[in-house]
Amino acid sequence: MRAILSAIMMAIAFTAPGLALQDDDVIVVTGSRISDYESDFVPHVRLDRRADAISVRVSVVCDTRDVAQRRQELRDTLRNLVRAGRQNAAINIGLLVDRNDLGDQSIVNFDETIVDSIAINPGRGRPDTSEVVIMATTAISPDDTVDAATARINAFINGTRLVGRTEVLNTNNWELTVTGGPARYRDEILAAIAADAHRTAAVFGEGFTIEVEGLEGGVHWQRAGAMELSFYIDYSLSVRPTD
């Protein structure tokens, strides 16, 4: 049993690179990250939790011919989105940013202070169209559905006051998010692994030692349903005769 306790204490003291988050960081749980990085094996002990929110990529595009006027119309529409978001408690407007080289992404708040400095990209593959992609996020309640959550975002988008030839379009590309990131569940997962190890030890009884390895790794995650997520540490548990 000393091996169990030693491994648990090591994991609690360890902070994985890239997981030192602020309490209010909003981490995006993407399907692409799962296929590119996560292990196919999900260990026995995991936590299934409902996501905190759903975020939709929103394309703000303008095809006014004059470049200067097009950019101004697009930025003015962005300001209208930000102002409308401040008045709508159900919606938050943000920008998607990369956190590290593993493909992790966060959503940071988008406000009027950065409207004039935000990068404007070519849109729809056309030189006469400009685009900015933002994230519209709405919190998920216990009885929410994907349709109900995205309907709130659609209502917000449809109510935007547009300037010139600007359009605000729902790309229907949505992601689940976790405030504080998956690392916030680390201690709870470690406690569950320790409890499972103790139960396993009790089954085998005296003369056997339980060892837990891999707890120094970070917290992994994947979707477990439309709005549910599974969080786990990629550990291994083994039983061997006591020396």
Side-chain angles (χ1 to χ4, degrees):
M1 297 306 295
R2 287 195 299 270
I4 299 172
L5 296 178
S6 176
I8 295 294
M9 292 304 294
M10 278 179 55
I12 291 175
F14 181 84
T15 301
L19 290 178
L21 310 176
Q22 299 297 321
D23 291 341
D24 58 351
D25 278 353
V26 177
I27 309 304
V28 178
V29 181
T30 64
S32 60
R33 184 184 190 280
I34 294 168
S35 61
D36 292 342
Y37 176 72
E38 297 294 352
S39 168
D40 291 332
F41 170 74
V42 178
H44 171 66
V45 176
R46 65 183 187 273
L47 295 180
D48 292 335
R49 295 289 185 269
R50 197 165 176 81
D52 294 324
I54 186 171
S55 294
V56 174
R57 294 173 192 253
V58 177
S59 174
V60 184
V61 295
C62 185
D63 62 359
T64 296
R65 177 162 299 186
D66 180 78
V67 176
Q69 183 179 349
R70 180 168 72 238
R71 289 172 173 264
Q72 188 61 50
E73 290 176 1
L74 195 151
R75 293 187 193 278
D76 287 344
T77 299
L78 286 172
R79 288 189 181 88
N80 290 340
L81 273 168
V82 170
R83 291 164 184 164
R86 285 204 306 263
Q87 298 172 7
N88 189 331
I91 303 294
N92 184 70
I93 301 300
L95 292 176
L96 197 62
V97 298
D98 293 332
R99 296 177 56 244
N100 52 41
D101 58 2
L102 297 179
D104 292 344
Q105 294 178 310
S106 298
I107 298 176
V108 298
N109 286 333
F110 177 51
D111 57 34
E112 290 184 72
T113 63
I114 56 177
V115 167
D116 288 331
S117 60
I118 191 172
I120 297 177
N121 301 309
R124 300 176 179 174
R126 296 169 49 184
D128 62 348
T129 302
S130 297
E131 177 185 39
V132 171
V133 176
I134 63 173
M135 302 295 288
T137 301
T138 185
I140 296 173
S141 64
D143 57 349
D144 245 338
T145 63
V146 171
D147 288 344
T150 54
R152 292 195 296 273
I153 293 176
N154 282 329
F156 174 78
I157 292 172
N158 294 335
T160 302
R161 187 166 63 86
L162 305 177
V163 178
R165 293 179 57 84
T166 306
E167 297 179 272
V168 179
L169 306 172
N170 183 343
T171 68
N172 293 315
N173 185 350
W174 59 270
E175 308 284 1
L176 300 177
T177 64
V178 180
T179 303
R184 85 186 217 198
Y185 294 112
R186 184 175 181 80
D187 289 349
E188 194 173 351
I189 296 171
L190 290 174
I193 292 173
D196 182 67
H198 281 287
R199 287 192 296 269
T200 302
V203 170
F204 284 87
E206 295 182 1
F208 291 90
T209 297
I210 306 296
E211 292 187 349
V212 181
E213 298 180 344
L215 297 179
E216 70 278 8
V219 177
H220 303 292
W221 64 92
Q222 64 182 33
R223 289 184 184 171
M227 289 189 167
E228 287 69 40
L229 303 168
S230 284
F231 301 92
Y232 60 94
I233 294 173
D234 197 8
Y235 76 98
S236 64
L237 184 149
S238 61
V239 181
R240 63 177 178 81
T242 303
D243 294 335

